[in-house]
Amino acid sequence: MVAPVRPSEARASREAETVVVRLTIDAVGEVERVEVRESAGRLLDRAAMAAAVRWRFQPATQGGVPLAVQVDVPVTFTPTVSARVVESSPREGMTGEGPSLRGHDAAPVSAGAVESSPREAMTGEGPSLAVGAAPSGEGDVPVEARVFATTVRGTAQAPPPVAVGDFHIEVGQLADVPRNSASDLMLLAPGVMLANHGGEGHAETIFIRGFDAGEGKDVELRLNGVPLNEVSHSHGHGYADTYFIIPELVRALRVTEGPFDPAQGDFGVAGTVEYELGLARRGLTASVGSGSFASRRLSLVWGPPDSSDATFVGLLLRQGHGFGPNRAYANAGVMAQVELRLGDATRVRLFGAGYGGRFSSAGVIRETDVVNARLPCAPDADSQFFCFHDANQGGAGQRHLLSVELHTRLSRGGRLTQQGYVMVRQTRIRDNFTGFLQDTPPDGGAQRGDDSEGYYRGTTAGLRGRYVPGLSLLGQSRPLELGYEVRHDDVRTRSRRLRDAGGAPYATLFDNQVRTTHLGGFSSLRVAPTSWLTLRGGVRLDAFLFGVDDLNRPAVDRDGARIPEESLEAYGFFASPRASAEVRLSPRWTWLTSAGLGARSSDAAALSDAELAPYARVVSGETGVGWRLEGDGRPYSLEARAAAFATRVSQDYVFDEKRGRNQPVGASQRLGAFALARLTWAERFDMQASLAWSRATLPVPGASPWRVWDGTVVPYIPALLGRVDASARGTVTVSGQRLGWNVALGHSAIGPRPLPLNRYSAPVFLFDVATRARWDWVELGVEVENLLDTRWRETELNHVSNFRGPDAPASLLATRHFSAGAPRTFRGTLTVYLDLQEDSP
């Protein structure tokens, strides 16, 4: 070890000054990267880094195999002429990633040449790392060599995957790819497409694994464990808005495609998406952006220097006119989390978020009206393409969330997690898909319009927990996991028709006060009877209790006058077994087969009194292989996966333009396959590519459930989806100044989408690019979305409508409707990186 030299030009100090550097140590023990985690001023930071790059270590090992790790080392400059490294406080410091589909099973990790004891592996505490400091000082003045020790802890690792389609996606360098919101991060999973007919603030329609999951009806969404799906929402059961999530604070996503993990709960029909928050960089990062269509964006994220990645504060403000008329938006959100350590075995995370926004929507337009230039915009083709029929569309929403999470390491390696949360939200959404078609005026006059308003206000409170006993079975540590979930929702959900002139409500479609209690529990077991076979299995039990006050009953029935309200209660219960078998074909190849049952709860608006609440059941199976190449001193890693799957759902939903929401159509089935590959190279290059195919059909009545190929194709679901994300980073010296640079690319390919009446949409190919340059603490960037300025249709429908006016005769022929996708969009950004600590002169 070479000790650092205190720069002669550094200011004098009567107190010790400490720089904490994070070292990335490769598999041969050499320091590959150094970054400052806690600063003592620019001059001392550079002195510590200059010395650290020359240090050498005995490689860390995992199961006797050398691996690359990270460790935080404090470097203390004393008030005298000497510099030394002293003992550090316990910190998170060392991380190692195991092999692909099974590398997250716990294995002992050692620092230096010392192998961890079993207790160290169970408690997460590694051995001490001791290095003697070489003589150094100011000039050639020798000082006494000191020994330092740093306690090494493994960082939180992803659980073992339960299927080939179970992805723990570290965002990492792919955050450089242009994205409008945290929702776009879901595109990192294969077979995912997003569409939005409602505007900047309306929840995305999610297509995943061959499902049209609506705005959340068939995909479970979570944020740090907190469920986001909203029960019995007026715009659709399971509606989930992720606009309040600040993208800069998303560290990783876990996307489990299919119902294969016993921990997956309600709405996990097509899968589960969980956002995991964290901020790697300490200090303040301020970014301001401005671009096309008067868009403006300001983000501030701050990580206190003396805290872990789990402590942060973030603020995000966005507003703009939108890329066409009636598309303006404005929203603001704040997210904050603090992690507190209560001794060596317990930590508490306190998380809070608040969000509010409003948006206008152009809705859908008739293709024939665009061709004939009938819309209320300029007659040229572009103006008509981005125009609208009804200006009284859009919405607003608020969300406020608090969560407390406790993590405890128990004796003999056991673990306990407890979480409590409360969430308050409100939304109001107005849209019109049919114009003047559905109204029946009481006096026989002109139609008042088909504008609909969905209103939703609710409070959710819940508890969830996991317990992993410190047991061993067949040589496997912690094979058993137990968990529970309790959630209670008290919501008001209402839908009304609005007049086209003035927007006043004239009819109530439904108005319900809903109380839903969900009780869930699960258990899972992992055993490895041989060195090449691992079996996982579990079961989940869910119970739902519904209470509904229907506030929209008739005031008169055949027996006379009555109170226009009615109450009902219902109950539902189901069990969902899930299992997987993992075969290790070689050190790099793994074959994984999974099967599971899942369920979607009932929309309370469709229940009757004393009903044993119906629910949709899903049966899914998947088999595929995974391959990973990393370690052995390589600066790169490469991972690839491929699988085929089949799914059957007892009750599916398809969009109904008359209701403006998804409606039940009976059973459906799916057959599909996907492939994904990701290459990373020493934080310089990161690229991921995926391709997915699926076929969704409504089965022939009376046909065998095994005939998954036959039947009518489910509309709106694309058969082919492709996605490429890539980012390259580097440095260059210009006029003696070192500049950092970055180039990123995102590409989406969407195959033809089937429409009703045997029609198909056109394929879509989109390219997004970004480039950035950084000097010291200042960074400039430019992003371009839809680089080729493609005229594409984000949503396409095929139905009957009448937008020509209340007195115009309605055509009974279905025709194409669409919502326009964004044209080429530019945005420039200025980012400032500050550590907010006093610097040396």
Side-chain angles (χ1 to χ4, degrees):
M1 174 187 174
V2 177
V5 178
R6 184 184 183 91
S8 58
E9 61 270 27
R11 67 176 184 180
S13 174
R14 294 187 177 183
E15 297 181 354
E17 297 174 279
T18 300
V19 180
V20 177
V21 292
R22 172 164 291 183
L23 309 181
T24 301
I25 305 169
D26 63 20
V28 297
E30 296 191 359
V31 177
E32 185 178 81
R33 178 182 173 88
V34 181
E35 57 182 313
V36 174
R37 304 294 292 170
E38 297 179 16
S39 174
R42 185 179 304 175
L43 296 176
L44 296 185
D45 291 352
R46 290 179 176 177
M49 294 175 69
V53 296
R54 301 170 63 190
W55 294 348
R56 298 294 180 268
F57 296 83
Q58 294 181 6
T61 61
Q62 182 176 21
V65 179
L67 75 161
V69 296
Q70 288 184 331
V71 61
D72 288 354
V73 178
V75 181
T76 299
F77 294 85
T78 65
T80 63
V81 296
S82 63
R84 57 181 177 171
V85 184
V86 299
E87 183 176 355
S88 69
S89 60
R91 303 179 59 87
E92 291 183 351
M94 182 170 288
T95 61
E97 297 182 359
S100 173
L101 294 180
R102 63 180 300 269
H104 299 300
D105 294 335
V109 178
S110 69
V114 184
E115 185 74 31
S116 299
S117 67
R119 176 172 176 79
E120 288 166 345
M122 289 187 291
T123 62
E125 296 182 0
S128 294
L129 177 65
V131 180
S136 185
E138 190 166 4
D140 295 325
V141 181
V143 298
E144 178 184 0
R146 299 292 299 267
V147 174
F148 78 91
T150 180
T151 301
V152 176
R153 283 193 176 92
T155 60
Q157 292 184 344
V162 296
V164 180
D166 184 7
F167 304 92
H168 190 275
I169 304 170
E170 296 286 343
V171 178
Q173 195 169 326
L174 296 183
D176 300 333
V177 178
R179 306 185 196 280
N180 280 323
S181 67
S183 301
D184 289 344
L185 292 171
M186 284 188 270
L187 297 175
L188 293 174
V192 174
M193 186 191 86
L194 303 178
N196 196 328
H197 64 265
E200 188 85 11
H202 185 283
E204 304 279 358
T205 298
I206 304 171
F207 296 85
I208 177 173
R209 202 177 177 85
F211 281 85
D212 176 359
E215 288 97 5
K217 69 177 179 65
D218 282 334
V219 59
E220 180 185 23
L221 290 161
R222 300 176 185 165
L223 174 66
N224 273 8
V226 178
L228 301 180
N229 301 81
E230 299 173 1
V231 299
S232 301
H233 195 282
S234 57
H235 202 61
H237 187 45
Y239 183 91
D241 174 15
T242 59
Y243 268 92
F244 75 100
I245 302 175
I246 300 176
E248 288 88 340
L249 298 178
V250 178
R251 181 187 64 84
L253 283 81
R254 186 184 178 189
V255 181
T256 305
E257 298 190 5
F260 300 129
D261 188 344
Q264 291 177 264
D266 193 18
F267 303 105
V269 174
T272 299
V273 177
E274 180 164 6
Y275 289 87
E276 300 176 6
L277 301 179
L279 181 62
R281 186 185 182 276
R282 303 290 85 190
L284 175 67
T285 302
S287 178
V288 58
S290 180
S292 304
F293 315 110
S295 66
R296 294 178 290 276
R297 186 182 192 274
L298 171 65
S299 70
L300 301 172
V301 293
W302 176 56
D306 298 325
S307 59
S308 71
D309 295 358
T311 298
F312 53 78
V313 178
L315 171 70
L316 179 61
L317 306 175
R318 289 179 292 203
Q319 68 176 49
H321 294 168
F323 57 85
N326 216 56
R327 288 180 172 88
Y329 62 93
N331 50 65
V334 63
M335 303 175 72
Q337 179 172 278
V338 60
E339 183 178 72
L340 305 174
R341 293 195 177 275
L342 307 179
D344 290 337
T346 302
R347 54 191 171 94
V348 177
R349 289 183 179 178
L350 307 176
F351 172 71
Y355 169 84
R358 61 167 303 278
F359 59 93
S360 298
S361 171
V364 299
I365 55 178
R366 285 173 60 101
E367 184 176 54
T368 55
D369 289 344
V370 173
V371 173
N372 296 318
R374 293 173 180 164
L375 300 180
C377 297
D380 61 280
D382 268 7
S383 296
Q384 290 288 304
F385 186 83
F386 295 111
C387 199
F388 63 96
H389 283 297
D390 185 353
N392 190 30
Q393 299 183 86
Q398 298 183 39
R399 183 188 294 265
H400 308 284
L401 168 64
L402 290 174
S403 168
V404 180
E405 193 172 2
L406 174 71
H407 298 266
T408 302
R409 294 196 309 273
L410 306 175
S411 60
R412 301 183 60 187
R415 298 173 183 172
L416 177 67
T417 299
Q418 299 283 349
Q419 183 178 23
Y421 58 88
V422 61
M423 184 164 45
V424 179
R425 68 264 188 229
Q426 176 180 316
T427 58
R428 176 173 173 257
I429 299 174
R430 307 179 312 280
D431 49 33
N432 186 351
F433 292 92
T434 54
F436 298 88
L437 193 67
Q438 303 182 58
D439 182 27
T440 305
D443 56 1
Q447 292 202 23
R448 291 164 288 186
D450 297 345
D451 293 80
S452 66
E453 176 191 71
Y455 174 81
Y456 186 84
R457 182 186 69 241
T459 301
T460 299
L463 297 171
R464 58 184 291 271
R466 295 191 182 202
Y467 171 52
V468 180
L471 306 174
S472 295
L473 180 64
L474 299 179
Q476 296 288 308
S477 62
R478 297 186 293 274
L480 178 66
E481 181 177 7
L482 306 172
Y484 75 92
E485 180 178 358
V486 179
R487 171 178 172 172
H488 178 74
D489 291 87
D490 190 347
V491 305
R492 176 77 176 273
T493 177
R494 181 181 68 208
S495 180
R496 291 174 171 176
R497 291 288 187 198
L498 307 179
R499 292 177 185 161
D500 177 69
Y506 68 82
T508 299
L509 302 180
F510 61 82
D511 188 355
N512 297 319
Q513 185 73 38
V514 179
R515 298 170 302 280
T516 303
T517 299
H518 173 205
L519 306 175
F522 69 89
S523 64
S524 62
L525 181 67
R526 183 184 76 252
V527 296
T530 69
S531 60
W532 52 269
L533 176 64
T534 300
L535 303 175
R536 299 182 183 92
V539 63
R540 181 180 179 92
L541 303 176
D542 290 279
F544 289 87
L545 296 93
F546 301 92
V548 181
D549 295 329
D550 189 341
L551 308 178
N552 189 42
R553 304 302 295 168
V556 179
D557 60 19
R558 58 180 148 183
D559 295 326
R562 53 160 290 174
I563 296 176
E565 299 178 6
E566 191 171 335
S567 298
L568 63 90
E569 307 289 335
Y571 171 79
F573 172 86
F574 49 83
S576 305
R578 294 153 191 187
S580 64
E582 179 184 335
V583 179
R584 288 176 287 281
L585 304 175
S586 73
R588 304 195 189 282
W589 283 94
T590 301
W591 176 27
L592 189 55
T593 300
S594 307
L597 273 68
R600 181 203 311 116
S601 63
S602 303
D603 187 339
L607 297 174
S608 57
D609 194 26
E611 179 181 5
L612 182 60
Y615 47 84
R617 297 293 306 213
V618 55
V619 181
S620 186
E622 177 186 274
T623 186
V625 295
W627 177 83
R628 189 177 183 97
L629 177 65
E630 67 174 0
D632 298 330
R634 296 182 179 89
Y636 61 88
S637 65
L638 178 61
E639 178 184 6
R641 302 189 192 189
F645 62 86
T647 303
R648 185 179 178 91
V649 183
S650 63
Q651 182 63 274
D652 207 344
Y653 288 74
V654 172
F655 181 79
D656 182 346
E657 66 281 354
K658 293 182 179 180
R659 297 291 186 90
R661 54 185 283 171
N662 292 301
Q663 294 296 304
V665 293
S668 68
Q669 54 199 14
R670 281 156 185 83
L671 194 65
F674 67 85
L676 174 142
R678 185 169 184 176
L679 170 67
T680 59
W681 193 299
E683 298 189 18
R684 295 182 179 89
F685 182 76
D686 196 343
M687 178 178 178
Q688 178 176 287
S690 65
L691 181 65
W693 168 83
S694 63
R695 176 181 170 86
T697 57
L698 302 176
V700 177
S704 168
W706 297 103
R707 300 183 64 178
V708 295
W709 187 266
D710 297 338
T712 304
V713 175
V714 179
Y716 310 126
I717 302 173
L720 284 172
L721 289 172
R723 178 72 188 180
V724 176
D725 294 271
S727 171
R729 294 176 180 175
T731 58
V732 64
T733 301
V734 178
S735 300
Q737 298 294 322
R738 190 172 185 180
L739 302 179
W741 59 268
N742 163 246
V743 177
L745 167 70
H747 170 53
S748 291
I750 304 169
R753 288 165 279 180
L755 304 176
L757 305 179
N758 200 30
R759 302 298 180 93
Y760 283 83
S761 68
V764 177
F765 301 93
L766 299 174
F767 295 86
D768 306 322
V769 296
T771 182
R772 296 177 178 85
R774 178 176 176 178
W775 175 73
D776 202 4
W777 48 271
V778 178
E779 181 181 84
L780 295 175
V782 176
E783 297 181 0
V784 184
E785 298 183 58
N786 190 0
L787 178 67
L788 303 182
D789 201 20
T790 302
R791 294 294 177 263
W792 63 290
R793 302 170 181 199
E794 190 162 9
T795 301
E796 292 199 54
L797 307 172
N798 201 53
H799 61 263
V800 177
S801 69
N802 172 29
F803 284 101
R804 302 185 67 180
D807 299 320
S811 170
L812 299 181
L813 296 177
T815 188
R816 191 79 56 93
H817 294 68
F818 68 90
S819 61
R824 182 165 50 219
T825 304
F826 295 89
R827 181 168 63 221
T829 59
L830 169 64
T831 305
V832 177
Y833 301 92
L834 302 173
D835 57 22
L836 298 183
Q837 295 193 37
E838 186 176 2
D839 202 359
S840 300

